[in-house]
Amino acid sequence: MRKLLNTLYVTSPDTYLALDGENVLVLKEQETLLRVPLHTLEQILYFGYKGASPALMGACTKRDIRLAFLTPNGRFLAAACGESRGNVLLRAQQVRLADDPARSARLARCFIFGKVYNARWVLERATRDHPMRVDVPAIKQITAQLAGSLPQILDCTDPEQLRGLEGAAAEQYFGVLDQLILRNKEDFFFRGRNRRPPTDNVNALLSFVYTLLTNDVAAALEANGLDCYIGFLHRFRPGRRSLALDMIEELRCALADRFVLSLINNRTVEKKGFVRQENGAVYMTDDTRKTVLGAWQTRKQEQITHPFLNEKIPWGLVPHVQAMLLARYIRGDLDDYPPFLWK
């Protein structure tokens, strides 16, 4: 199993990345703020616009270190990529599956099944852990509806109908998500998903963490020889990492949403860490982004038992395991793709 290495997050937008021998340097006005050996890194996420030296980008691609560039608010811009990794036969089979509507829908429904299953159990756990603080009957009604949609998803062969089932389930889930926010309700509330830009503190957190998760999943897919731009649920188009967007569906609720809720309920983030702009957009301050990134790295080190492998692994390895299982299914080593089912 692939070892979980470190990710270097560079969140100061006025820094520049450079190469010095076998080390990456984080520079600010020619002053070296940080020096990190390349061999200790798996990926570098840079939140800013000053960029990185061509020498560093070349060194990263040579060593299979993902170097991704994002805006200070977490929107993906680009990534430095070297030669395509992985078996060309695997990628060719991936393209054939994506071009076959029936087989593509079969994979898409696995992703959606995992998403709805995990959404149900996130809500169920809230009723178990906090029965005096949430509206148990209302949440139980939603979890029953989500459970009832699972057989329909498994039987669905039409992509448009599948998207309809997914949309209905997401609306039901988001309709009660606000109840899982147990503290600071005046500052952290959820009235529905909004983005581009987010217009409240919770959606700002969700958008940022979804970006982090998408980067982790994309890196895992590429490391396992798959093309993260060729998807099955999200149809591929230039510039969109469609397969990464497919796979994060089954991980959103169990990993990203629960993480955001923990940040709020544990008072890890506060109102002062968010700024509302004139156009209504809400963004995190630099200090809050650093806090979230540190907590994200800590969460990725926590151990869980993988439901399919029945082995203990860190949360951070879940995308890599799911990418490995997907590659095995595409190669024909597995009869079906087993989505990540958390409980």
Side-chain angles (χ1 to χ4, degrees):
M1 183 175 290
R2 187 168 181 227
K3 183 180 179 182
L4 183 65
L5 299 177
N6 293 328
T7 297
L8 173 62
Y9 294 99
V10 183
T11 60
S12 300
D14 54 350
T15 56
Y16 181 77
L17 304 183
L19 180 69
D20 181 22
E22 292 295 313
N23 302 287
V24 55
L25 303 183
V26 180
L27 305 174
K28 183 177 181 181
E29 298 179 353
Q30 304 305 313
E31 178 187 356
T32 301
L33 302 180
L34 184 67
R35 176 189 295 266
V36 181
L38 283 173
H39 74 268
T40 67
L41 296 175
E42 181 182 56
Q43 62 176 338
I44 302 171
L45 300 186
Y46 174 79
F47 297 81
Y49 295 111
K50 286 198 172 182
S53 70
L56 176 63
M57 289 189 280
C60 287
T61 56
K62 181 179 179 180
R63 294 164 177 79
D64 292 340
I65 300 171
R66 180 178 175 82
L67 173 56
F69 299 91
L70 303 96
T71 69
N73 296 312
R75 182 170 59 85
F76 177 79
L77 294 172
C81 301
E83 295 182 1
S84 295
R85 300 190 297 271
N87 191 327
V88 66
L89 298 178
L90 173 62
R91 295 196 180 211
Q93 180 64 8
Q94 180 184 352
V95 173
R96 284 192 287 270
L97 283 178
D99 284 337
D100 186 325
R103 300 175 73 187
S104 185
R106 180 177 177 178
L107 260 175
R109 70 190 183 199
C110 290
F111 298 130
I112 297 304
F113 183 91
K115 175 179 182 177
V116 176
Y117 180 98
N118 291 330
R120 177 197 174 198
W121 284 108
V122 167
L123 299 178
E124 285 282 1
R125 178 167 285 199
T127 64
R128 185 197 70 185
D129 295 344
H130 309 286
M132 304 301 294
R133 305 180 69 179
V134 300
D135 187 343
V136 173
I139 293 178
K140 286 289 188 179
Q141 181 180 2
I142 296 301
T143 59
Q145 293 173 359
L146 294 176
S149 69
L150 292 175
Q152 300 177 56
I153 293 170
L154 281 181
D155 293 336
C156 185
T157 58
D158 179 76
E160 290 305 316
Q161 183 182 1
L162 185 61
R163 292 186 182 94
L165 292 170
E166 185 272 336
E171 184 177 358
Q172 293 163 353
Y173 167 75
F174 281 136
V176 293
L177 187 64
D178 185 66
Q179 292 205 40
L180 276 60
I181 299 173
L182 306 176
R183 295 182 177 177
N184 300 330
K185 297 285 286 191
E186 66 279 4
D187 300 323
F188 295 92
F189 51 83
F190 186 81
R191 302 292 183 265
R193 183 76 176 109
N194 57 70
R195 53 187 176 176
R196 299 176 187 172
T199 58
D200 59 69
N201 297 346
V202 176
N203 274 289
L205 282 168
L206 287 173
S207 292
F208 187 70
V209 174
Y210 287 166
T211 298
L212 297 178
L213 179 58
T214 302
N215 275 295
D216 288 346
V217 170
L221 291 168
E222 293 287 348
N224 282 272
L226 294 163
D227 191 326
C228 69
Y229 289 88
I230 300 176
F232 304 98
L233 174 65
H234 296 82
R235 303 310 299 169
F236 45 90
R237 68 181 185 213
R240 183 169 76 173
R241 295 175 293 177
S242 298
L243 186 57
L245 296 177
D246 285 356
M247 185 166 285
I248 68 168
E249 294 294 352
E250 62 189 88
L251 301 177
R252 281 181 193 267
C253 303
L255 181 51
D257 294 358
R258 289 179 63 247
F259 172 70
V260 168
L261 290 169
S262 71
L263 292 176
I264 299 169
N265 292 334
N266 294 333
R267 301 185 187 275
T268 306
V269 293
E270 300 177 355
K271 177 184 178 180
K272 64 182 181 181
F274 298 81
V275 177
R276 181 177 295 276
Q277 300 185 341
E278 292 183 0
N279 65 352
V282 174
Y283 295 114
M284 291 180 286
T285 64
D286 287 346
D287 287 342
T288 299
R289 277 199 300 272
K290 292 176 183 177
T291 297
V292 173
L293 290 169
W296 179 248
Q297 284 294 82
T298 300
R299 174 60 60 90
K300 286 166 61 177
Q301 300 294 332
E302 293 179 4
Q303 296 279 321
I304 65 161
T305 299
H306 192 278
F308 183 77
L309 300 181
N310 198 29
E311 294 181 13
K312 284 191 173 296
I313 62 170
W315 265 112
L317 270 183
V318 171
H320 293 276
V321 171
Q322 294 306 121
M324 175 192 69
L325 295 172
L326 179 59
R328 289 185 177 181
Y329 167 71
I330 291 175
R331 282 196 299 263
D333 298 335
L334 292 174
D335 293 333
D336 217 336
Y337 168 69
F340 179 77
L341 303 179
W342 176 82
K343 188 175 180 179

